[in-house]
Amino acid sequence: MTISYNWLSSYLPEKISPQKCAQIMTAIGLEVEGMETYGIDPQQLAALIVGQVITCEKHPNADNLSLTTIDTGTKESLQIVCGAKNVAVGQKVVVATIGTLLHPIDGEPFTIKKAKIRGIESFGMLCAADEIGLSHNHEGILTLPTDARIGDSVSNYFDGKQDVIMEIGLTPNRTDAMSHRGVARDICAYLSYHERKNIAPLLPALSSIPTGSSPITVSIEDEKACMRYSGVLIENITVQESPNWLKERLESIGQKPINNIVDLTNFILFETGQPLHAFDADKISGNAIHIKTLPAGTPFITLDEKEHKLTATDLMICDAEKPLCIAGVYGGRESGVTQKTTRLFIESAFFSSSSIRKTSIYHQLRTDAASRFEKGTDISETKSVLQRAIHLILEITEGKVVGGITDIYPTPLEKKKITLTQSYLHRISGKEYQPDAVGGLLQNLGYEVTTTPTGWNTLIPYNKPGTKLAAEIVQDIMRIDGLDNIPIPQHITITPEINRNKKQFKLRSKVINMLVGSGWNEIFTNSLTNGRWYPEQEKENRVVMMNSLSIELDTLRPNMLLTGLNTIAHNLNRKNQNLSLFEMGKTYKRNENEFSESPRLALYTCGMSNNGDWKNKPQQVDLYFLKGTLDNLFQYAGLSAHYSPAEDALLDDALTIMVGEKIIGKMGKVKSTILKINDIKTSVYYADLRWTEVEESSNNLIAYQEISKYPIVHRDLSLVVDKQVVYADIEQATHKAGIKKLNAIELFDIFENEKLGTNKKSMAISFTFTDDTRTLTDEEIEKMVQQLISVYEKELKAEIRKQ
């Protein structure tokens, strides 16, 4: 937030230097992140003189330049080439003669020299406001009053007042400090506490409350969304340029002046934190204001000429016939103030923060007013702020209030009551405070305080709508005391926390350690991704950001693949080609108006599984390398998983990973069309595990089993099967045999040849048998082998290859 030192000082009863002011603000939690000087030193204007344009002709060699003759009060007039479009004969202008040092508002100072511009000599410069450091305005040369004396120093016509602009880092809960008066309140509370005297902020002048009834009636249909609404009608006003003091205030904090009415509402917003809205009263049909919602889909055109389709929850300010304004967010085209406006209706209201935030985000209308309403404004100030507006409008125009102030407050809001004990204050702050000092400190911040034997009963001021806990009162006490004054204890104690998800955390940690130990690297990618990467037909199921900061980061990822491929592409482009990466993350999905997120473990690999050495050759990663890693992972997790072929939009040779009948993930080779999105030309293999299902299926218990004293027995079978049969089919058939003494099976060879028959292949399987109680006999082993053969012949139509 931007704060003007001069503006802030107008509310402080004592003069404080900018440096001390910044120190106090940082100490009380309003961290000053930057300070810069604004305005101009009077000495910088002294060398500039008042001149008058005697002649103004088109430059003979340039369409956009003018050739002028300027009277500067000397015997000879000056010939000056000017590029401003607003230069005209008779104007009093700011002239920088040859040798004058200019201090522009942006850039370094420079000296005016004699120049030849498009073949014509120029003996000086006619200056714009930004070129002499007065403001950022560069729309044309600066013109002076007609009574300015030719040859005078320009410093006689400008006070040359300098300002210091401070940027403060305001946390979201500090809505009470989102104004110059709010910051002044905190500074005065700090000074009162530390200097042991009562220092209160200066309050601006208010207009007396007019009496009578306003011709414009107000009704509130949605009292939850609009808890208070104040308004006043002012006639005989003239919309014109704002006075200099008002323009200077707004320009100092980066606001562009528009006209006296709009500028006043903006001034009051940054003075008090309360947004106002001005309507052209002649455009209010039926002399009636209705605060209500309209049917979904109702079109509404805002001041920026854009049409918005309203939702059923958008709070609107309407007249008897039409909507006038999106409440607290943006004005409407049909009710805005123009140069022809002579009657004003000014609104000061309290709107529900949740209602304003929903509307502002949905329509992507992020305004200064909306930002304050959605954080919470002071419901007690709507009427007094309106009095301030009346005072200023009558001061700068010849307006007249018609009737009185309309103030609709159906259910007055009670102040929240919070009890703070001395023991709790000490426990949270780590410091002993004097009870009387705490009571005075809180009262200076607007709290109503009653001291009790054990602490304080407080009523929370309306300007702190977010204060709901005693801890937040402690925070205010610590701020005003000064965060730098909190003592650091010699001993720090930590209260252990019970981890209610110990099993899940242990499994996650175990799997990550296993992967890292196997040579895989963990990555963290952005859950926001580019929606253009995904098929258009899937758009309805994607979670798309409504107010994304970048078109390339507009969607929450529906899968882990593409964000991981982006990381792979980044590494490949830097010649890091052998990659085995994994990520624990979440994917996001939309189902109509419901949203869901799913924890995932994704694995990506490409290039070589090892670099090779004098003894071992480098090996290219493939589907089997990835499957081997998954098998080890499942063994660590206590899972017994199997694989089955599947079709997938992202993967070739896709396999579904299952535990029993439950799908826990998928794996495969990434399709070339997907790789092209990131311009990847090498093969990439990918596995996606549904981590919630992995956790549910995991039996992560470690059990000890003694190594068998008896020998294990190996037997091999060569099965001739159809080419469509995969190893997973053999595993399932083996499981159906139900042989308890069969400990393991392993595929060790695949052979294809025309001699085996059409569409046939041979798969060689190794079996391991053992018994923990005795040595198996040949007869028992042969019986189990025959049992397996029967199952394979029945389930797979397999033949046993004899040679």
Side-chain angles (χ1 to χ4, degrees):
M1 178 178 170
T2 305
I3 293 292
S4 160
Y5 168 74
N6 289 343
W7 193 346
L8 178 65
S9 297
S10 66
Y11 308 116
L12 299 177
E14 297 182 359
K15 184 71 174 179
I16 304 174
S17 70
Q19 290 70 28
K20 184 178 179 181
C21 195
Q23 290 174 357
I24 293 174
M25 290 164 66
T26 299
I28 60 180
L30 305 176
E31 182 181 2
V32 177
E33 298 176 339
M35 297 173 62
E36 64 177 17
T37 301
Y38 176 85
I40 188 168
D41 187 334
Q43 297 299 320
Q44 297 175 7
L45 297 176
L48 301 172
I49 59 177
V50 177
Q52 185 172 23
V53 181
I54 301 173
T55 64
C56 180
E57 300 174 353
K58 181 180 176 183
H59 192 292
N61 303 322
D63 292 337
N64 296 323
L65 297 177
S66 299
L67 183 59
T68 66
T69 304
I70 308 297
D71 180 5
T72 59
T74 60
K75 293 181 179 180
E76 295 183 3
S77 58
L78 296 180
Q79 177 177 278
I80 296 178
V81 177
C82 179
K85 293 181 179 180
N86 66 326
V87 62
V89 172
Q91 289 175 333
K92 298 290 179 67
V93 294
V94 177
V95 182
T97 57
I98 294 173
T100 302
L101 180 65
L102 291 186
H103 298 265
I105 199 164
D106 295 317
E108 298 296 324
F110 63 95
T111 301
I112 297 298
K113 299 178 181 179
K114 177 182 175 181
K116 183 175 287 189
I117 303 174
R118 292 294 183 95
I120 301 294
E121 288 185 327
S122 180
F123 296 90
M125 177 176 174
L126 305 186
C127 302
D130 65 328
E131 292 166 338
I132 60 174
L134 286 177
S135 72
H136 288 277
N137 189 349
H138 190 72
E139 294 180 357
I141 59 171
L142 188 64
T143 58
L144 300 174
T146 56
D147 59 354
R149 290 196 306 174
I150 298 171
D152 272 5
S153 171
V154 170
S155 60
N156 296 332
Y157 300 91
F158 296 95
D159 58 13
K161 184 185 295 184
Q162 285 188 303
D163 199 354
V164 177
I165 306 303
M166 306 177 186
E167 288 293 336
I168 62 174
L170 200 62
T171 53
N173 63 321
R174 294 303 316 281
T175 57
D176 58 308
M178 292 184 72
S179 66
H180 285 76
R181 275 177 51 188
V183 174
R185 183 195 306 115
D186 272 12
I187 292 175
C188 289
Y190 177 91
L191 294 173
S192 297
Y193 179 77
H194 289 274
E195 297 183 5
R196 302 289 190 271
K197 59 182 179 180
N198 187 26
I199 300 176
L202 301 176
L203 296 178
L206 301 180
S207 175
S208 59
I209 301 176
T211 58
S213 299
S214 173
I216 296 181
T217 61
V218 176
S219 66
I220 303 175
E221 295 186 14
D222 190 340
E223 295 181 0
K224 289 184 178 180
C226 179
M227 298 180 64
R228 187 174 187 180
Y229 191 95
S230 305
V232 67
L233 177 63
I234 304 177
E235 294 184 344
N236 299 326
I237 63 101
T238 302
V239 178
Q240 58 190 2
E241 185 178 357
S242 297
N244 286 334
W245 71 265
L246 180 55
K247 291 192 291 184
E248 288 170 4
R249 284 283 192 250
L250 294 178
E251 287 177 342
S252 69
I253 60 171
Q255 297 292 314
K256 182 179 178 181
I258 298 174
N259 59 54
N260 54 352
I261 303 303
V262 175
D263 292 349
L264 274 177
T265 60
N266 286 335
F267 172 83
I268 289 175
L269 171 67
F270 292 104
E271 178 186 63
T272 67
Q274 171 65 36
L276 299 179
H277 189 77
F279 299 92
D280 187 329
D282 289 329
K283 298 176 182 178
I284 300 176
S285 300
N287 281 338
I289 293 290
H290 304 284
I291 300 97
K292 61 182 181 179
T293 57
L294 297 174
T298 301
F300 180 72
I301 300 176
T302 47
L303 283 169
D304 57 0
E305 299 290 340
K306 294 182 180 179
E307 181 177 281
H308 299 266
K309 298 293 185 181
L310 302 179
T311 71
T313 59
D314 291 337
L315 188 67
M316 301 297 295
I317 310 299
C318 306
D319 62 14
E321 299 176 356
K322 61 186 179 299
L324 303 175
C325 170
I326 303 178
V329 179
Y330 217 84
R333 184 185 65 181
E334 301 302 325
S335 63
V337 174
T338 67
Q339 294 295 323
K340 297 180 181 180
T341 299
T342 58
R343 299 172 70 239
L344 282 179
F345 182 78
I346 303 179
E347 157 197 291
S348 177
F350 180 90
F351 299 117
S352 163
S353 57
S354 59
S355 172
I356 298 301
R357 179 166 176 79
K358 287 178 183 177
T359 297
S360 174
I361 290 178
Y362 181 83
H363 294 291
Q364 300 184 43
L365 296 171
R366 309 297 291 159
T367 60
D368 287 323
S371 69
R372 282 153 176 83
F373 279 126
E374 67 185 26
K375 291 179 175 66
T377 56
D378 187 343
I379 195 171
S380 68
E381 287 237 321
T382 59
K383 192 172 181 179
S384 61
V385 169
L386 203 56
Q387 289 177 255
R388 173 67 168 156
I390 294 171
H391 176 84
L392 292 174
I393 290 175
L394 298 185
E395 182 181 289
I396 65 173
T397 70
E398 297 179 356
K400 177 183 177 182
V401 176
V402 180
I405 292 178
T406 300
D407 185 27
I408 308 298
Y409 197 180
T411 307
L413 186 66
E414 293 187 3
K415 289 186 175 181
K416 294 190 287 289
K417 300 177 182 179
I418 298 178
T419 298
L420 175 64
T421 63
Q422 294 182 29
S423 60
Y424 184 78
L425 173 59
H426 174 67
R427 180 159 61 89
I428 298 299
S429 69
K431 185 175 180 179
E432 292 285 355
Y433 287 94
Q434 293 297 321
D436 292 342
V438 170
L441 182 156
L442 292 176
Q443 287 173 348
N444 288 330
L445 288 176
Y447 290 84
E448 294 181 31
V449 183
T450 303
T451 304
T452 68
T454 59
W456 306 267
N457 292 327
T458 66
L459 294 179
I460 310 303
Y462 290 115
N463 59 32
K464 293 180 177 289
T467 299
K468 299 177 182 178
L469 303 172
E472 292 167 304
I473 301 178
V474 174
Q475 182 187 42
D476 273 344
I477 295 171
M478 293 171 67
R479 284 193 312 102
I480 301 305
D481 179 34
L483 298 176
D484 294 337
N485 296 327
I486 303 301
I488 300 175
Q490 294 181 348
H491 301 284
I492 298 177
T493 59
I494 300 175
T495 303
E497 181 183 359
I498 298 174
N499 189 345
R500 305 187 184 278
N501 298 315
K502 182 178 179 181
K503 179 182 176 182
Q504 290 84 346
F505 177 80
K506 184 177 179 181
L507 176 62
R508 177 190 177 102
S509 178
K510 191 174 183 180
V511 167
I512 289 176
N513 288 335
M514 171 259 160
L515 288 169
V516 171
S518 300
W520 291 67
N521 292 302
E522 186 172 11
I523 62 173
F524 296 93
T525 62
N526 197 342
S527 57
L528 286 173
T529 185
N530 192 333
R532 290 177 296 177
W533 289 350
Y534 301 91
E536 188 65 25
Q537 57 268 30
E538 297 178 5
K539 186 174 182 180
E540 62 181 17
N541 293 326
R542 298 203 309 264
V543 181
V544 180
M545 303 295 291
M546 293 181 61
N547 56 339
S548 61
L549 297 178
S550 168
I551 59 173
E552 295 183 352
L553 296 173
D554 63 347
T555 301
L556 285 169
R557 61 185 175 199
N559 60 61
M560 302 286 289
L561 178 56
L562 291 176
T563 53
L565 289 180
N566 196 31
T567 299
I568 288 177
H570 179 84
N571 280 270
L572 292 176
N573 291 337
R574 288 154 182 79
K575 304 302 179 183
N576 187 16
Q577 298 176 337
N578 302 325
L579 302 170
S580 291
L581 310 173
F582 73 93
E583 178 177 12
M584 287 276 191
K586 291 182 178 181
T587 60
Y588 305 86
K589 185 178 180 180
R590 175 178 182 174
N591 185 12
E592 294 182 354
N593 292 326
E594 304 240 339
F595 300 90
S596 62
E597 56 183 48
S598 174
R600 301 284 176 144
L601 170 59
L603 288 79
Y604 321 81
T605 185
C606 66
M608 299 292 178
S609 60
N610 60 71
N611 293 324
D613 52 32
W614 66 273
K615 186 177 181 180
N616 302 305
K617 294 182 179 181
Q619 294 183 344
Q620 185 79 31
V621 300
D622 55 17
L623 206 59
Y624 301 104
F625 170 76
L626 180 58
K627 181 177 178 295
T629 301
L630 291 175
D631 287 341
N632 290 337
L633 186 154
F634 295 146
Q635 185 176 2
Y636 268 76
L639 294 177
S640 178
H642 59 273
Y643 306 82
S644 61
E647 295 292 329
D648 191 90
L650 304 175
L651 304 174
D652 289 326
D653 302 326
L655 297 174
T656 299
I657 308 170
M658 305 180 71
V659 174
E661 298 299 321
K662 181 190 291 185
I663 297 175
I664 66 167
K666 65 181 181 180
M667 63 173 290
K669 179 181 178 182
V670 181
K671 290 187 174 181
S672 59
T673 53
I674 305 299
L675 296 177
K676 285 181 181 178
I677 294 174
N678 285 286
D679 197 26
I680 297 175
K681 296 179 175 59
T682 188
S683 297
V684 178
Y685 298 89
Y686 168 70
D688 176 29
L689 299 181
R690 303 175 184 176
W691 190 247
T692 300
E693 283 77 359
V694 171
E695 288 180 337
E696 292 172 351
S697 305
S698 171
N699 180 16
N700 198 26
L701 296 176
I702 299 176
Y704 167 77
Q705 183 177 4
E706 185 179 358
I707 297 175
S708 177
K709 302 175 184 179
Y710 303 99
I712 61 175
V713 180
H714 295 286
R715 289 289 186 272
D716 298 337
L717 286 177
S718 182
L719 307 179
V720 178
V721 295
D722 292 338
K723 287 186 177 181
Q724 290 77 16
V725 174
V726 295
Y727 179 62
D729 298 328
I730 296 177
E731 284 185 314
Q732 291 180 15
T734 304
H735 181 71
K736 288 183 180 180
I739 301 174
K740 295 182 180 180
K741 295 177 182 179
L742 176 61
N743 284 357
I745 68 169
E746 183 179 356
L747 174 68
F748 65 88
D749 187 41
I750 296 177
F751 175 72
E752 295 185 15
N753 193 287
E754 295 179 357
K755 294 180 180 180
L756 296 175
T758 304
N759 199 34
K760 295 289 185 181
K761 65 180 178 181
S762 172
M763 302 180 73
I765 313 294
S766 176
F767 302 88
T768 302
F769 301 92
T770 186
D771 191 325
D772 294 336
T773 61
R774 60 187 178 83
T775 302
L776 292 172
T777 65
D778 290 341
E779 290 78 9
E780 290 174 322
I781 294 170
E782 183 62 26
K783 182 179 180 182
M784 289 186 285
V785 171
Q786 289 300 321
Q787 188 175 348
L788 288 169
I789 292 173
S790 298
V791 171
Y792 295 148
E793 289 176 342
K794 179 180 179 182
E795 298 292 332
L796 306 176
K797 310 300 181 188
E799 298 178 7
I800 305 303
R801 187 177 175 203
K802 304 299 183 182
Q803 54 179 348

